[in-house]
Amino acid sequence: MLKPLRKAVLPVAGLGTRFLPATKATAKEMLPVVDRPLIQYAVDEARAAGIEQFCFITGRGKTAIVEHFDVAYELERTLEMRGKARELAELRAQQQEPGSIMTVRQQVPLGLGHAIWCARSFIADEPFAILLPDDLMQCDISCTAQLAAAYRETGGNVVAVEEVPMERVNKYGVIDIEKDMGRLVSVKGLVEKPPIEEAPSNLTIIGRYVLMPEVITHLAKMEKGAGGEIQLTDGMAKLIGHQPFHGVRYEGRRFDCGDKIGFLEAQIAFALKRPEMAAQVREFLKTYS
Ligand code: G1P
């Protein structure tokens, strides 16, 4: 029987150099889109997929992330005294169950594959989701929930994929397609950040995965790949042929919030989805065209 998907790993150790000086004293995952930090969107998305346990792979200077998910007793008390019921309810709704979040420090930035390997005790022998909080998803059905459904359907590894213009494939993990079935694509190979002329397709991996725990065995070999880093993509590639491996053309939109333009676009797109501000945002946008 298929093991239920209950765990998620969220790598948050990156320095966020592209957002300096904003990220000098705070984590890039704490940058807000409208009124909630990026990390909150990722956690909410995972919870909507039935995830119960979270492991943040952190590093120095990332304590704000941990604080964000703690009970802010003084704040709650002050809101209570001031009769701010709506704000209080909002804070409490986001409260995670005690013991559901753990953190592991990556210590040295050796790559995404290494970050995931750091979560090996947390993962143990269960399937797990990975969410890269820089990739902000706007989907009617949580992107991780779409992957969870595909995991139950295929019984193996699934990664969210999308087509990008060929000239940008060198920024992503790229799929070598075995069979294209539309929403699902069976995978015969994976390459991390290939030179454009060597890319097997323009179907790229975005920062959402559901993987089987065996990937850890491959990551443990600490083999360096693209950019001299231990790449998750290389570890995943070793699973192909031994376990089912599929790409899922998810329904929704992705915003690359690791990039300033993507981050700005996300602000607008998420504000336009908020009934209390959409009309005003549309109005002021007109003044810029
Ligand atoms: C990482 C992965 C890459 C994936 C990308 C999605 O790269 O290594 O395979 O396509 O995330 O955002 P990074 O953006 O961290 O360089």
Side-chain angles (χ1 to χ4, degrees), residues 189-229:
L190 295 168
V191 202
E192 180 68 13
K193 302 193 175 80
I196 294 166
E197 56 286 0
E198 286 170 28
S201 76
N202 68 336
L203 193 61
T204 59
I205 302 173
I206 60 144
R208 296 294 184 274
Y209 314 72
V210 171
L211 300 181
M212 302 304 106
E214 288 76 14
V215 73
I216 296 296
T217 323
H218 300 297
L219 296 174
K221 291 175 192 146
M222 302 289 158
E223 284 163 8
K224 288 186 182 154
E229 295 187 353

Side-chain angles (χ1 to χ4, degrees), residues 112 132 135 172-173 192-193 205-207 209 231 233 254:
L112 179 59
L132 309 186
D135 280 340
Y172 296 97
E192 180 68 13
K193 302 193 175 80
I205 302 173
I206 60 144
Y209 314 72
Q231 296 289 355
T233 302
R254 159 187 178 256

Side-chain angles (χ1 to χ4, degrees), residues 1 36 47 56 60 91 138 142 170 194 228 230 234 251:
M1 220 188 59
R36 57 198 61 210
R47 284 178 82 187
F56 296 157
R60 290 173 63 80
L91 274 192
Q138 193 174 58
S142 139
N170 57 349
I230 299 161
D234 297 340
E251 277 173 34

Side-chain angles (χ1 to χ4, degrees), residues 111-175:
L112 179 59
H114 178 261
I116 301 303
W117 173 80
C118 289
R120 62 198 179 283
S121 306
F122 168 78
I123 295 163
D125 59 352
E126 291 193 31
F128 64 103
I130 300 172
L131 294 92
L132 309 186
D134 275 1
D135 280 340
L136 178 57
M137 307 305 293
Q138 193 174 58
C139 304
D140 290 339
I141 299 172
S142 139
C143 185
T144 301
Q146 295 179 41
L147 287 188
Y151 158 64
R152 288 190 289 271
E153 191 178 330
T154 63
N157 305 275
V158 288
V159 294
V161 294
E162 69 181 17
E163 264 100 13
V164 301
M166 208 60 202
E167 61 270 19
R168 288 180 35 222
V169 286
N170 57 349
K171 295 183 167 37
Y172 296 97
V174 182
I175 306 273

Side-chain angles (χ1 to χ4, degrees), residues 29-143:
E29 296 78 10
M30 290 304 293
L31 296 178
V33 169
V34 185
D35 57 5
R36 57 198 61 210
L38 285 171
I39 189 72
Q40 178 81 55
Y41 287 96
V43 165
D44 289 349
E45 180 194 319
R47 284 178 82 187
I51 299 293
E52 296 163 359
Q53 297 171 31
F54 295 85
C55 182
F56 296 157
I57 312 300
T58 69
R60 290 173 63 80
K62 297 282 180 168
T63 41
I65 296 176
V66 182
E67 293 286 334
H68 181 72
F69 291 100
D70 198 359
V71 175
Y73 176 75
E74 300 87 340
L75 176 61
E76 288 196 6
R77 183 91 188 95
T78 309
L79 291 175
E80 218 161 40
M81 285 186 328
R82 293 189 185 165
K84 303 238 176 222
R86 195 181 52 79
E87 289 82 354
L88 190 61
E90 168 98 355
L91 274 192
R92 290 196 171 144
Q94 286 167 11
Q95 192 55 55
Q96 309 298 308
E97 198 195 345
S100 63
I101 294 183
M102 61 160 78
T103 63
V104 171
R105 284 214 179 194
Q106 191 184 5
Q107 298 173 327
V108 275
L110 297 179
L112 179 59
H114 178 261
I116 301 303
W117 173 80
C118 289
R120 62 198 179 283
S121 306
F122 168 78
I123 295 163
D125 59 352
E126 291 193 31
F128 64 103
I130 300 172
L131 294 92
L132 309 186
D134 275 1
D135 280 340
L136 178 57
M137 307 305 293
Q138 193 174 58
C139 304
D140 290 339
I141 299 172
S142 139
C143 185

